[in-house]
Amino acid sequence: LPHLNDDSASRHIWLAPSVGWVNETCDAFQANSSSTSPAALLLAKTIKLALEDRESAPPSLAADRELAVDENAPMSMPWADNLHSIPYPSVLSGFDAARVAAWQASTAVPTQRPYLVSGAWGAHGLGSAMDVRTSMERQCLASPACSFIDLDDMRGRTNTEDVMEAGLVSTFCLEPPGGTPARE
């Protein structure tokens, strides 16, 4: 970038459309003041925006963080300097007024939902979060009152429609820990 230098770096903004954790971003995004290359030190001065930052993770993650002590570990904490959290988009983000009204009308009508509970997630997460996800999946699959969608087979494509559809056929939706670092 021809205009990125020591004087302008703090005015450059990166926007990551996912969480700012190590496994979700590139190495350059994770640059910090302990980096050794001049280019990485320059990138460390830029502002980074992502769906979650270090402070987004609850204190209960402390024990599981010990499992991810290096920046290449799965779900490792962000190493980036100047990383800030931005709000999560809702399911209605990007809808115009007519689409919002249509969504509200379709979900406001009382309906008989065939399942008491639904769940949609993949088997991943840190330590205890993975254990909880696995246990919840087993219990859901064993119950005729629960609808479960395994998202592991859907990585690499948008699965929002599948998740929303599952939620609309049940009274309650399970949200296990580990979907994002803040839910760990």
Side-chain angles (χ1 to χ4, degrees):
L1 297 172
H3 302 290
L4 178 61
N5 57 51
D6 266 341
D7 295 328
S8 69
S10 65
R11 296 190 309 265
H12 285 263
I13 299 173
W14 292 44
L15 177 62
S18 62
V19 297
W21 289 51
V22 170
N23 64 316
E24 297 287 333
T25 59
C26 66
D27 291 342
F29 188 88
Q30 294 298 329
N32 59 57
S33 58
S34 66
S35 299
T36 56
S37 81
L41 289 171
L42 186 61
L43 292 174
K45 295 177 183 178
T46 61
I47 296 170
K48 293 131 191 126
L49 303 175
L51 291 177
E52 292 184 3
D53 57 14
R54 281 183 214 87
E55 289 75 30
S56 299
S60 62
L61 249 186
D64 285 342
R65 279 190 203 127
E66 298 302 317
L67 299 174
V69 294
D70 80 65
E71 59 191 49
N72 296 316
M75 293 304 290
S76 182
M77 292 286 290
W79 296 88
D81 286 348
N82 301 314
L83 175 61
H84 304 280
S85 182
I86 57 175
Y88 269 87
S90 78
V91 69
L92 303 178
S93 292
F95 280 16
D96 60 20
R99 285 188 172 182
V100 170
W103 170 265
Q104 290 171 333
S106 71
T107 59
V109 177
T111 60
Q112 182 66 22
R113 298 183 181 208
Y115 297 100
L116 177 63
V117 176
S118 68
W121 62 80
H124 60 85
L126 297 175
S128 61
M130 178 65 166
D131 296 340
V132 171
R133 284 173 158 256
T134 303
S135 175
M136 288 174 66
E137 179 179 343
R138 262 195 318 271
Q139 292 175 47
C140 189
L141 290 171
S143 172
C146 186
S147 168
F148 179 73
I149 297 175
D150 185 349
L151 298 180
D152 276 341
D153 296 333
M154 298 182 186
R155 288 197 183 264
R157 73 175 182 91
T158 303
N159 51 38
T160 303
E161 186 176 331
D162 300 311
V163 172
M164 292 310 301
E165 189 174 300
L168 292 173
V169 298
S170 63
T171 304
F172 301 99
C173 300
L174 297 173
E175 292 285 331
T180 63
R183 282 185 22 206
E184 296 280 344

